[in-house]
Amino acid sequence: METNQGIGTRGVGLGSEPRGHRVRGILARHWLLAILLAGGVALRVLAWLAYQPALLYFDSFRYLDNIGIHNPAGLHPIGYDLLILRPLLSVGGLDLVSAVQHVAGLGCAVGLYALALRLRAPTWLGAIAAAPVLLDAYIVQIEQMIMSDIWLLVALVVMLWLLLGTRSTSGAPNPRRAALAGLVLGIAVALRMIAISLVVPAVIYLIIAGGAWRAWRDRDALRVIAQRTGAFLVMFAVVIGSYAGYFYTQTGKIGLSNASANVLYSRAAVVADCAELDLDPILRLACPTEPVGQRRPDYYAHRAADEEWVDTFPPGTNIPRVQHEFGIEVFKAQPLDVLGAVVVDFLKGFRPARTDAPNDVSVARWHFQREYQYYNHRNITVAYSREYDGEAPSDIPAIGSFLRSYQLTVGYTPGPLLAAFGVIAIAALLGVGRARTSGLRSAALLSVGMGVTILFASAAFEFSWRYQLPGIVLLPIAGVIGIVALWGRRRHLWN
């Protein structure tokens, strides 16, 4: 039976063998990945050439304006402008940022492939885990944007490697690897606040990985669990605590973000039955006037920036507090309506085609266009492009037309396929068939648990095809792990 080693290990000729032979050996063994990788590189080169220096979305200006200031009171955390933009822009322009982000996307795919092989998947199955990241045009498009999303995906892959890529005899990470995973997750939260939801599946995995939890009366087993789980939580708490301390020094408030009130209000506003709610006069001013079926979450999420709406409140009104209290009242009075709306938005991501449902954030925002897309901020975009790259944005319409055609026809990962990967992983973690003795049940739990958790947490805010990108990273590798487990291809390093 074929044994799977990592890229560049046994079978590719190390030592004194000529370099050409080694390269041919690698390509012969990993030929399918090589083909997919070539396709992924080509797409990214085309995107980089077609939209110079980078695509600037509405949020891009907020990130760029925060460089050197790093004010945590804005809509986004400061990790992207502090850790990515500031270092890269100190040596290059926006074109350098987009180029590095494309390389990061390729790295995610190779990392997923290598992890699949580490977990004893055959090379063709490992390529399946990498293919969506390499070939999905929505990921390529977000890499070309000045946005933090691709770096969240990088953090997810690094977390998976730290927690699942161990060679220990138990198959579970040691405290050092768990601590590093906690550090990475803390950094991920500083990039995208939604990552904080991943604490739950990570802790559950650390408790059950390696089977030590079965001996819950054994002190040594409990010590193992406590050490690795504690190391993860302590390092995560150090990062989050440091961020919270910085947030307090800058805002005088306890927390991590000022955006929580916007999120709470947005989700509540779209379902609020104001005629039946018992609200005080100030909170009643926060009630939407549109019929329930015509309310857009994205509109209410940014309503605090609408001066005309804010002026309807008495002078001096604390708008974030009003939004927060309004959300709490709706949640208490209509919990099933809120939950139902979240579930509906969660399920939208598994539709066959990437189309809009009523009141969704338009999927067109994440489409390649024939020409450079200005998002209704042409003058501002030109000004920022000239500031960082010395010239106005440029495009190559022929390439843009190709990328758009590719994206709208075959260049996306179908939702039912992602759902199938998730179902396979769930079957494996439940111990169906040979999965019970595969030693991969906890690995399936972590990967699918992270995918479902972050997608559901995103749906708690609103549905956007942009928020489905973590699923393209997590669900295929979860499905691959599930297939290996159900297939019964044992990994001898797991008990």
PDB file of all heavy atoms in Angstrom, residues 4 112-122 125 160-161 163-166 171 205 438-440 443-444 447 477 480-482 484-485 489-492 494:
ATOM      1  N   ASN A   4       2.064   7.793   2.494  1.00  0.00           N
ATOM      2  CA  ASN A   4       2.093   9.217   2.167  1.00  0.00           C
ATOM      3  C   ASN A   4       3.016   9.952   3.107  1.00  0.00           C
ATOM      4  O   ASN A   4       2.792   9.972   4.302  1.00  0.00           O
ATOM      5  CB  ASN A   4       0.690   9.822   2.255  1.00  0.00           C
ATOM      6  CG  ASN A   4      -0.162   9.352   1.111  1.00  0.00           C
ATOM      7  OD1 ASN A   4       0.043   9.754  -0.018  1.00  0.00           O
ATOM      8  ND2 ASN A   4      -1.119   8.479   1.410  1.00  0.00           N
ATOM      9  N   LEU A 112      -2.811  23.113   3.475  1.00  0.00           N
ATOM     10  CA  LEU A 112      -3.905  22.153   3.591  1.00  0.00           C
ATOM     11  C   LEU A 112      -3.533  20.822   2.952  1.00  0.00           C
ATOM     12  O   LEU A 112      -3.842  19.747   3.483  1.00  0.00           O
ATOM     13  CB  LEU A 112      -5.172  22.718   2.948  1.00  0.00           C
ATOM     14  CG  LEU A 112      -5.822  23.893   3.674  1.00  0.00           C
ATOM     15  CD1 LEU A 112      -6.897  24.526   2.804  1.00  0.00           C
ATOM     16  CD2 LEU A 112      -6.407  23.461   5.008  1.00  0.00           C
ATOM     17  N   TYR A 113      -2.883  20.880   1.805  1.00  0.00           N
ATOM     18  CA  TYR A 113      -2.449  19.663   1.119  1.00  0.00           C
ATOM     19  C   TYR A 113      -1.467  18.876   1.995  1.00  0.00           C
ATOM     20  O   TYR A 113      -1.612  17.660   2.177  1.00  0.00           O
ATOM     21  CB  TYR A 113      -1.797  20.040  -0.206  1.00  0.00           C
ATOM     22  CG  TYR A 113      -1.238  18.880  -0.994  1.00  0.00           C
ATOM     23  CD1 TYR A 113      -2.075  18.083  -1.758  1.00  0.00           C
ATOM     24  CD2 TYR A 113       0.132  18.607  -1.005  1.00  0.00           C
ATOM     25  CE1 TYR A 113      -1.565  17.029  -2.506  1.00  0.00           C
ATOM     26  CE2 TYR A 113       0.651  17.561  -1.748  1.00  0.00           C
ATOM     27  CZ  TYR A 113      -0.196  16.767  -2.500  1.00  0.00           C
ATOM     28  OH  TYR A 113       0.316  15.718  -3.240  1.00  0.00           O
ATOM     29  N   ALA A 114      -0.469  19.573   2.523  1.00  0.00           N
ATOM     30  CA  ALA A 114       0.525  18.909   3.359  1.00  0.00           C
ATOM     31  C   ALA A 114      -0.100  18.331   4.625  1.00  0.00           C
ATOM     32  O   ALA A 114       0.273  17.243   5.075  1.00  0.00           O
ATOM     33  CB  ALA A 114       1.643  19.894   3.718  1.00  0.00           C
ATOM     34  N   LEU A 115      -1.062  19.033   5.200  1.00  0.00           N
ATOM     35  CA  LEU A 115      -1.734  18.530   6.393  1.00  0.00           C
ATOM     36  C   LEU A 115      -2.532  17.276   6.067  1.00  0.00           C
ATOM     37  O   LEU A 115      -2.537  16.310   6.848  1.00  0.00           O
ATOM     38  CB  LEU A 115      -2.657  19.600   6.977  1.00  0.00           C
ATOM     39  CG  LEU A 115      -3.453  19.189   8.226  1.00  0.00           C
ATOM     40  CD1 LEU A 115      -2.518  18.812   9.369  1.00  0.00           C
ATOM     41  CD2 LEU A 115      -4.400  20.305   8.644  1.00  0.00           C
ATOM     42  N   ALA A 116      -3.203  17.268   4.927  1.00  0.00           N
ATOM     43  CA  ALA A 116      -3.953  16.073   4.531  1.00  0.00           C
ATOM     44  C   ALA A 116      -3.025  14.872   4.394  1.00  0.00           C
ATOM     45  O   ALA A 116      -3.350  13.757   4.843  1.00  0.00           O
ATOM     46  CB  ALA A 116      -4.693  16.336   3.217  1.00  0.00           C
ATOM     47  N   LEU A 117      -1.857  15.086   3.794  1.00  0.00           N
ATOM     48  CA  LEU A 117      -0.901  13.993   3.675  1.00  0.00           C
ATOM     49  C   LEU A 117      -0.369  13.563   5.038  1.00  0.00           C
ATOM     50  O   LEU A 117      -0.141  12.376   5.276  1.00  0.00           O
ATOM     51  CB  LEU A 117       0.254  14.401   2.756  1.00  0.00           C
ATOM     52  CG  LEU A 117       0.099  14.048   1.274  1.00  0.00           C
ATOM     53  CD1 LEU A 117      -1.145  14.667   0.684  1.00  0.00           C
ATOM     54  CD2 LEU A 117       1.336  14.456   0.488  1.00  0.00           C
ATOM     55  N   ARG A 118      -0.158  14.515   5.917  1.00  0.00           N
ATOM     56  CA  ARG A 118       0.297  14.179   7.269  1.00  0.00           C
ATOM     57  C   ARG A 118      -0.728  13.283   7.981  1.00  0.00           C
ATOM     58  O   ARG A 118      -0.360  12.426   8.797  1.00  0.00           O
ATOM     59  CB  ARG A 118       0.519  15.469   8.066  1.00  0.00           C
ATOM     60  CG  ARG A 118       0.889  15.280   9.542  1.00  0.00           C
ATOM     61  CD  ARG A 118       2.250  14.624   9.700  1.00  0.00           C
ATOM     62  NE  ARG A 118       3.322  15.481   9.238  1.00  0.00           N
ATOM     63  CZ  ARG A 118       3.966  16.364  10.005  1.00  0.00           C
ATOM     64  NH1 ARG A 118       3.619  16.523  11.273  1.00  0.00           N
ATOM     65  NH2 ARG A 118       4.941  17.095   9.507  1.00  0.00           N
ATOM     66  N   LEU A 119      -1.996  13.469   7.656  1.00  0.00           N
ATOM     67  CA  LEU A 119      -3.055  12.664   8.261  1.00  0.00           C
ATOM     68  C   LEU A 119      -3.378  11.428   7.429  1.00  0.00           C
ATOM     69  O   LEU A 119      -4.455  10.854   7.532  1.00  0.00           O
ATOM     70  CB  LEU A 119      -4.311  13.521   8.450  1.00  0.00           C
ATOM     71  CG  LEU A 119      -4.144  14.721   9.384  1.00  0.00           C
ATOM     72  CD1 LEU A 119      -5.405  15.549   9.443  1.00  0.00           C
ATOM     73  CD2 LEU A 119      -3.744  14.266  10.780  1.00  0.00           C
ATOM     74  N   ARG A 120      -2.440  11.040   6.579  1.00  0.00           N
ATOM     75  CA  ARG A 120      -2.486   9.806   5.813  1.00  0.00           C
ATOM     76  C   ARG A 120      -3.495   9.803   4.681  1.00  0.00           C
ATOM     77  O   ARG A 120      -3.980   8.750   4.271  1.00  0.00           O
ATOM     78  CB  ARG A 120      -2.750   8.605   6.742  1.00  0.00           C
ATOM     79  CG  ARG A 120      -1.606   8.304   7.688  1.00  0.00           C
ATOM     80  CD  ARG A 120      -0.373   7.881   6.908  1.00  0.00           C
ATOM     81  NE  ARG A 120       0.775   7.710   7.795  1.00  0.00           N
ATOM     82  CZ  ARG A 120       1.986   7.373   7.359  1.00  0.00           C
ATOM     83  NH1 ARG A 120       2.188   7.178   6.088  1.00  0.00           N
ATOM     84  NH2 ARG A 120       2.993   7.248   8.211  1.00  0.00           N
ATOM     85  N   ALA A 121      -3.814  10.941   4.153  1.00  0.00           N
ATOM     86  CA  ALA A 121      -4.624  10.991   2.937  1.00  0.00           C
ATOM     87  C   ALA A 121      -3.728  10.709   1.741  1.00  0.00           C
ATOM     88  O   ALA A 121      -2.559  11.110   1.720  1.00  0.00           O
ATOM     89  CB  ALA A 121      -5.284  12.349   2.783  1.00  0.00           C
ATOM     90  N   PRO A 122      -4.223  10.027   0.722  1.00  0.00           N
ATOM     91  CA  PRO A 122      -3.453   9.881  -0.518  1.00  0.00           C
ATOM     92  C   PRO A 122      -3.326  11.230  -1.205  1.00  0.00           C
ATOM     93  O   PRO A 122      -4.088  12.160  -0.923  1.00  0.00           O
ATOM     94  CB  PRO A 122      -4.289   8.896  -1.348  1.00  0.00           C
ATOM     95  CG  PRO A 122      -5.666   9.032  -0.813  1.00  0.00           C
ATOM     96  CD  PRO A 122      -5.534   9.359   0.647  1.00  0.00           C
ATOM     97  N   LEU A 125      -6.421  12.859  -2.749  1.00  0.00           N
ATOM     98  CA  LEU A 125      -7.384  13.365  -1.783  1.00  0.00           C
ATOM     99  C   LEU A 125      -6.872  14.655  -1.142  1.00  0.00           C
ATOM    100  O   LEU A 125      -7.648  15.582  -0.868  1.00  0.00           O
ATOM    101  CB  LEU A 125      -7.658  12.295  -0.722  1.00  0.00           C
ATOM    102  CG  LEU A 125      -8.934  12.441   0.109  1.00  0.00           C
ATOM    103  CD1 LEU A 125     -10.153  12.568  -0.772  1.00  0.00           C
ATOM    104  CD2 LEU A 125      -9.083  11.231   1.039  1.00  0.00           C
ATOM    105  N   LEU A 160      -4.866  24.747  12.419  1.00  0.00           N
ATOM    106  CA  LEU A 160      -5.062  23.332  12.115  1.00  0.00           C
ATOM    107  C   LEU A 160      -3.746  22.570  12.156  1.00  0.00           C
ATOM    108  O   LEU A 160      -3.672  21.457  12.688  1.00  0.00           O
ATOM    109  CB  LEU A 160      -5.719  23.177  10.745  1.00  0.00           C
ATOM    110  CG  LEU A 160      -7.203  23.561  10.629  1.00  0.00           C
ATOM    111  CD1 LEU A 160      -7.658  23.448   9.185  1.00  0.00           C
ATOM    112  CD2 LEU A 160      -8.063  22.668  11.527  1.00  0.00           C
ATOM    113  N   TRP A 161      -2.700  23.177  11.606  1.00  0.00           N
ATOM    114  CA  TRP A 161      -1.403  22.511  11.610  1.00  0.00           C
ATOM    115  C   TRP A 161      -0.866  22.328  13.034  1.00  0.00           C
ATOM    116  O   TRP A 161      -0.339  21.284  13.384  1.00  0.00           O
ATOM    117  CB  TRP A 161      -0.392  23.305  10.773  1.00  0.00           C
ATOM    118  CG  TRP A 161      -0.098  22.627   9.475  1.00  0.00           C
ATOM    119  CD1 TRP A 161      -0.592  22.950   8.247  1.00  0.00           C
ATOM    120  CD2 TRP A 161       0.737  21.489   9.291  1.00  0.00           C
ATOM    121  NE1 TRP A 161      -0.114  22.077   7.305  1.00  0.00           N
ATOM    122  CE2 TRP A 161       0.708  21.173   7.907  1.00  0.00           C
ATOM    123  CE3 TRP A 161       1.499  20.701  10.140  1.00  0.00           C
ATOM    124  CZ2 TRP A 161       1.418  20.100   7.370  1.00  0.00           C
ATOM    125  CZ3 TRP A 161       2.212  19.630   9.601  1.00  0.00           C
ATOM    126  CH2 TRP A 161       2.160  19.336   8.244  1.00  0.00           C
ATOM    127  N   LEU A 163      -2.531  22.076  15.802  1.00  0.00           N
ATOM    128  CA  LEU A 163      -3.334  21.165  16.616  1.00  0.00           C
ATOM    129  C   LEU A 163      -3.439  19.762  16.029  1.00  0.00           C
ATOM    130  O   LEU A 163      -3.600  18.788  16.783  1.00  0.00           O
ATOM    131  CB  LEU A 163      -4.736  21.743  16.817  1.00  0.00           C
ATOM    132  CG  LEU A 163      -4.787  23.061  17.604  1.00  0.00           C
ATOM    133  CD1 LEU A 163      -6.211  23.585  17.681  1.00  0.00           C
ATOM    134  CD2 LEU A 163      -4.211  22.883  19.010  1.00  0.00           C
ATOM    135  N   LEU A 164      -3.342  19.644  14.703  1.00  0.00           N
ATOM    136  CA  LEU A 164      -3.517  18.329  14.075  1.00  0.00           C
ATOM    137  C   LEU A 164      -2.240  17.766  13.476  1.00  0.00           C
ATOM    138  O   LEU A 164      -2.160  16.558  13.241  1.00  0.00           O
ATOM    139  CB  LEU A 164      -4.574  18.412  12.964  1.00  0.00           C
ATOM    140  CG  LEU A 164      -5.975  18.849  13.366  1.00  0.00           C
ATOM    141  CD1 LEU A 164      -6.898  18.836  12.147  1.00  0.00           C
ATOM    142  CD2 LEU A 164      -6.537  17.956  14.465  1.00  0.00           C
ATOM    143  N   GLY A 165      -1.263  18.598  13.201  1.00  0.00           N
ATOM    144  CA  GLY A 165      -0.074  18.147  12.487  1.00  0.00           C
ATOM    145  C   GLY A 165       1.002  17.559  13.364  1.00  0.00           C
ATOM    146  O   GLY A 165       2.146  17.421  12.929  1.00  0.00           O
ATOM    147  N   THR A 166       0.676  17.183  14.579  1.00  0.00           N
ATOM    148  CA  THR A 166       1.664  16.624  15.499  1.00  0.00           C
ATOM    149  C   THR A 166       2.049  15.206  15.119  1.00  0.00           C
ATOM    150  O   THR A 166       1.253  14.473  14.535  1.00  0.00           O
ATOM    151  CB  THR A 166       1.105  16.623  16.939  1.00  0.00           C
ATOM    152  OG1 THR A 166       2.027  15.961  17.800  1.00  0.00           O
ATOM    153  CG2 THR A 166      -0.235  15.907  17.006  1.00  0.00           C
ATOM    154  N   GLY A 171      -1.255  11.445  19.149  1.00  0.00           N
ATOM    155  CA  GLY A 171      -1.956  12.199  18.122  1.00  0.00           C
ATOM    156  C   GLY A 171      -2.456  13.544  18.601  1.00  0.00           C
ATOM    157  O   GLY A 171      -3.055  14.286  17.829  1.00  0.00           O
ATOM    158  N   TYR A 205     -11.799  20.205  21.394  1.00  0.00           N
ATOM    159  CA  TYR A 205     -10.823  19.297  20.794  1.00  0.00           C
ATOM    160  C   TYR A 205      -9.690  18.981  21.765  1.00  0.00           C
ATOM    161  O   TYR A 205      -9.286  17.819  21.905  1.00  0.00           O
ATOM    162  CB  TYR A 205     -10.257  19.918  19.522  1.00  0.00           C
ATOM    163  CG  TYR A 205      -9.025  19.209  19.012  1.00  0.00           C
ATOM    164  CD1 TYR A 205      -9.121  18.004  18.335  1.00  0.00           C
ATOM    165  CD2 TYR A 205      -7.752  19.736  19.243  1.00  0.00           C
ATOM    166  CE1 TYR A 205      -7.988  17.337  17.889  1.00  0.00           C
ATOM    167  CE2 TYR A 205      -6.615  19.078  18.802  1.00  0.00           C
ATOM    168  CZ  TYR A 205      -6.743  17.878  18.129  1.00  0.00           C
ATOM    169  OH  TYR A 205      -5.625  17.217  17.703  1.00  0.00           O
ATOM    170  N   SER A 438     -10.312   4.698  13.561  1.00  0.00           N
ATOM    171  CA  SER A 438      -9.359   5.391  12.689  1.00  0.00           C
ATOM    172  C   SER A 438      -8.392   6.284  13.439  1.00  0.00           C
ATOM    173  O   SER A 438      -7.328   6.621  12.927  1.00  0.00           O
ATOM    174  CB  SER A 438     -10.124   6.240  11.670  1.00  0.00           C
ATOM    175  OG  SER A 438     -10.785   7.314  12.322  1.00  0.00           O
ATOM    176  N   GLY A 439      -8.765   6.723  14.645  1.00  0.00           N
ATOM    177  CA  GLY A 439      -7.946   7.687  15.360  1.00  0.00           C
ATOM    178  C   GLY A 439      -8.078   9.103  14.836  1.00  0.00           C
ATOM    179  O   GLY A 439      -7.332   9.987  15.252  1.00  0.00           O
ATOM    180  N   LEU A 440      -9.023   9.343  13.914  1.00  0.00           N
ATOM    181  CA  LEU A 440      -9.183  10.668  13.314  1.00  0.00           C
ATOM    182  C   LEU A 440     -10.481  11.352  13.699  1.00  0.00           C
ATOM    183  O   LEU A 440     -10.823  12.401  13.146  1.00  0.00           O
ATOM    184  CB  LEU A 440      -9.123  10.547  11.782  1.00  0.00           C
ATOM    185  CG  LEU A 440      -7.763  10.171  11.199  1.00  0.00           C
ATOM    186  CD1 LEU A 440      -7.881   9.902   9.708  1.00  0.00           C
ATOM    187  CD2 LEU A 440      -6.730  11.259  11.459  1.00  0.00           C
ATOM    188  N   ALA A 443      -9.895  14.793  15.063  1.00  0.00           N
ATOM    189  CA  ALA A 443      -9.435  15.692  14.000  1.00  0.00           C
ATOM    190  C   ALA A 443     -10.605  16.149  13.144  1.00  0.00           C
ATOM    191  O   ALA A 443     -10.687  17.322  12.751  1.00  0.00           O
ATOM    192  CB  ALA A 443      -8.390  14.990  13.134  1.00  0.00           C
ATOM    193  N   ALA A 444     -11.518  15.234  12.853  1.00  0.00           N
ATOM    194  CA  ALA A 444     -12.720  15.607  12.108  1.00  0.00           C
ATOM    195  C   ALA A 444     -13.555  16.588  12.912  1.00  0.00           C
ATOM    196  O   ALA A 444     -14.115  17.549  12.367  1.00  0.00           O
ATOM    197  CB  ALA A 444     -13.534  14.348  11.778  1.00  0.00           C
ATOM    198  N   SER A 447     -11.883  20.209  12.750  1.00  0.00           N
ATOM    199  CA  SER A 447     -11.970  20.894  11.462  1.00  0.00           C
ATOM    200  C   SER A 447     -13.404  21.269  11.110  1.00  0.00           C
ATOM    201  O   SER A 447     -13.673  22.417  10.730  1.00  0.00           O
ATOM    202  CB  SER A 447     -11.351  20.027  10.359  1.00  0.00           C
ATOM    203  OG  SER A 447     -11.898  18.718  10.377  1.00  0.00           O
ATOM    204  N   ILE A 477     -11.088  20.309   3.991  1.00  0.00           N
ATOM    205  CA  ILE A 477     -10.123  19.506   4.747  1.00  0.00           C
ATOM    206  C   ILE A 477     -10.849  18.644   5.782  1.00  0.00           C
ATOM    207  O   ILE A 477     -10.441  17.501   6.043  1.00  0.00           O
ATOM    208  CB  ILE A 477      -9.049  20.408   5.423  1.00  0.00           C
ATOM    209  CG1 ILE A 477      -7.961  19.562   6.089  1.00  0.00           C
ATOM    210  CG2 ILE A 477      -9.676  21.330   6.445  1.00  0.00           C
ATOM    211  CD1 ILE A 477      -7.142  18.739   5.137  1.00  0.00           C
ATOM    212  N   VAL A 480     -12.083  15.688   3.806  1.00  0.00           N
ATOM    213  CA  VAL A 480     -10.978  14.790   3.486  1.00  0.00           C
ATOM    214  C   VAL A 480     -10.597  13.955   4.698  1.00  0.00           C
ATOM    215  O   VAL A 480     -10.377  12.735   4.592  1.00  0.00           O
ATOM    216  CB  VAL A 480      -9.773  15.596   2.963  1.00  0.00           C
ATOM    217  CG1 VAL A 480      -8.507  14.744   2.948  1.00  0.00           C
ATOM    218  CG2 VAL A 480     -10.073  16.134   1.566  1.00  0.00           C
ATOM    219  N   ILE A 481     -10.500  14.580   5.860  1.00  0.00           N
ATOM    220  CA  ILE A 481     -10.215  13.829   7.087  1.00  0.00           C
ATOM    221  C   ILE A 481     -11.303  12.788   7.320  1.00  0.00           C
ATOM    222  O   ILE A 481     -11.025  11.639   7.690  1.00  0.00           O
ATOM    223  CB  ILE A 481     -10.095  14.783   8.285  1.00  0.00           C
ATOM    224  CG1 ILE A 481      -8.864  15.673   8.138  1.00  0.00           C
ATOM    225  CG2 ILE A 481     -10.031  14.004   9.603  1.00  0.00           C
ATOM    226  CD1 ILE A 481      -8.788  16.806   9.144  1.00  0.00           C
ATOM    227  N   GLY A 482     -12.553  13.185   7.100  1.00  0.00           N
ATOM    228  CA  GLY A 482     -13.657  12.256   7.271  1.00  0.00           C
ATOM    229  C   GLY A 482     -13.581  11.081   6.320  1.00  0.00           C
ATOM    230  O   GLY A 482     -13.835   9.923   6.704  1.00  0.00           O
ATOM    231  N   VAL A 484     -10.850   9.810   4.926  1.00  0.00           N
ATOM    232  CA  VAL A 484      -9.758   8.945   5.382  1.00  0.00           C
ATOM    233  C   VAL A 484     -10.214   8.098   6.562  1.00  0.00           C
ATOM    234  O   VAL A 484      -9.925   6.895   6.628  1.00  0.00           O
ATOM    235  CB  VAL A 484      -8.522   9.785   5.757  1.00  0.00           C
ATOM    236  CG1 VAL A 484      -7.439   8.907   6.362  1.00  0.00           C
ATOM    237  CG2 VAL A 484      -7.984  10.522   4.534  1.00  0.00           C
ATOM    238  N   ALA A 485     -10.940   8.698   7.488  1.00  0.00           N
ATOM    239  CA  ALA A 485     -11.414   7.972   8.663  1.00  0.00           C
ATOM    240  C   ALA A 485     -12.422   6.889   8.275  1.00  0.00           C
ATOM    241  O   ALA A 485     -12.337   5.742   8.736  1.00  0.00           O
ATOM    242  CB  ALA A 485     -12.036   8.946   9.658  1.00  0.00           C
ATOM    243  N   ARG A 489      -8.221   4.105   6.434  1.00  0.00           N
ATOM    244  CA  ARG A 489      -6.778   4.241   6.189  1.00  0.00           C
ATOM    245  C   ARG A 489      -6.143   4.778   7.462  1.00  0.00           C
ATOM    246  O   ARG A 489      -6.045   5.971   7.683  1.00  0.00           O
ATOM    247  CB  ARG A 489      -6.540   5.192   5.012  1.00  0.00           C
ATOM    248  CG  ARG A 489      -5.094   5.188   4.495  1.00  0.00           C
ATOM    249  CD  ARG A 489      -4.950   6.211   3.382  1.00  0.00           C
ATOM    250  NE  ARG A 489      -3.594   6.234   2.850  1.00  0.00           N
ATOM    251  CZ  ARG A 489      -3.232   5.710   1.709  1.00  0.00           C
ATOM    252  NH1 ARG A 489      -4.111   5.077   0.973  1.00  0.00           N
ATOM    253  NH2 ARG A 489      -1.982   5.802   1.281  1.00  0.00           N
ATOM    254  N   ARG A 490      -5.706   3.901   8.306  1.00  0.00           N
ATOM    255  CA  ARG A 490      -5.275   4.280   9.646  1.00  0.00           C
ATOM    256  C   ARG A 490      -3.993   5.085   9.626  1.00  0.00           C
ATOM    257  O   ARG A 490      -3.107   4.863   8.823  1.00  0.00           O
ATOM    258  CB  ARG A 490      -5.061   3.043  10.516  1.00  0.00           C
ATOM    259  CG  ARG A 490      -6.318   2.265  10.804  1.00  0.00           C
ATOM    260  CD  ARG A 490      -6.043   1.263  11.896  1.00  0.00           C
ATOM    261  NE  ARG A 490      -7.207   0.446  12.157  1.00  0.00           N
ATOM    262  CZ  ARG A 490      -7.284  -0.430  13.164  1.00  0.00           C
ATOM    263  NH1 ARG A 490      -6.264  -0.588  13.964  1.00  0.00           N
ATOM    264  NH2 ARG A 490      -8.362  -1.146  13.340  1.00  0.00           N
ATOM    265  N   ARG A 491      -3.938   5.951  10.561  1.00  0.00           N
ATOM    266  CA  ARG A 491      -2.715   6.684  10.817  1.00  0.00           C
ATOM    267  C   ARG A 491      -2.116   6.105  12.087  1.00  0.00           C
ATOM    268  O   ARG A 491      -2.688   6.207  13.159  1.00  0.00           O
ATOM    269  CB  ARG A 491      -3.003   8.173  10.988  1.00  0.00           C
ATOM    270  CG  ARG A 491      -1.750   8.983  11.266  1.00  0.00           C
ATOM    271  CD  ARG A 491      -2.122  10.403  11.657  1.00  0.00           C
ATOM    272  NE  ARG A 491      -0.890  11.143  11.946  1.00  0.00           N
ATOM    273  CZ  ARG A 491      -0.852  12.228  12.657  1.00  0.00           C
ATOM    274  NH1 ARG A 491      -1.971  12.714  13.180  1.00  0.00           N
ATOM    275  NH2 ARG A 491       0.267  12.867  12.886  1.00  0.00           N
ATOM    276  N   HIS A 492      -0.943   5.466  11.978  1.00  0.00           N
ATOM    277  CA  HIS A 492      -0.421   4.711  13.105  1.00  0.00           C
ATOM    278  C   HIS A 492      -0.043   5.593  14.297  1.00  0.00           C
ATOM    279  O   HIS A 492       0.146   5.092  15.392  1.00  0.00           O
ATOM    280  CB  HIS A 492       0.783   3.889  12.668  1.00  0.00           C
ATOM    281  CG  HIS A 492       2.000   4.721  12.338  1.00  0.00           C
ATOM    282  ND1 HIS A 492       2.171   5.318  11.108  1.00  0.00           N
ATOM    283  CD2 HIS A 492       3.102   5.025  13.085  1.00  0.00           C
ATOM    284  CE1 HIS A 492       3.323   5.970  11.099  1.00  0.00           C
ATOM    285  NE2 HIS A 492       3.907   5.820  12.282  1.00  0.00           N
ATOM    286  N   TRP A 494      -1.950   7.716  15.670  1.00  0.00           N
ATOM    287  CA  TRP A 494      -3.138   8.033  16.461  1.00  0.00           C
ATOM    288  C   TRP A 494      -3.637   6.784  17.156  1.00  0.00           C
ATOM    289  O   TRP A 494      -3.650   5.709  16.583  1.00  0.00           O
ATOM    290  CB  TRP A 494      -4.246   8.595  15.566  1.00  0.00           C
ATOM    291  CG  TRP A 494      -3.947   9.963  15.071  1.00  0.00           C
ATOM    292  CD1 TRP A 494      -2.987  10.341  14.202  1.00  0.00           C
ATOM    293  CD2 TRP A 494      -4.619  11.159  15.457  1.00  0.00           C
ATOM    294  NE1 TRP A 494      -3.000  11.690  14.002  1.00  0.00           N
ATOM    295  CE2 TRP A 494      -3.998  12.211  14.748  1.00  0.00           C
ATOM    296  CE3 TRP A 494      -5.688  11.447  16.297  1.00  0.00           C
ATOM    297  CZ2 TRP A 494      -4.403  13.525  14.880  1.00  0.00           C
ATOM    298  CZ3 TRP A 494      -6.099  12.746  16.416  1.00  0.00           C
ATOM    299  CH2 TRP A 494      -5.464  13.768  15.727  1.00  0.00           C
TER     300      TRP A 494
END
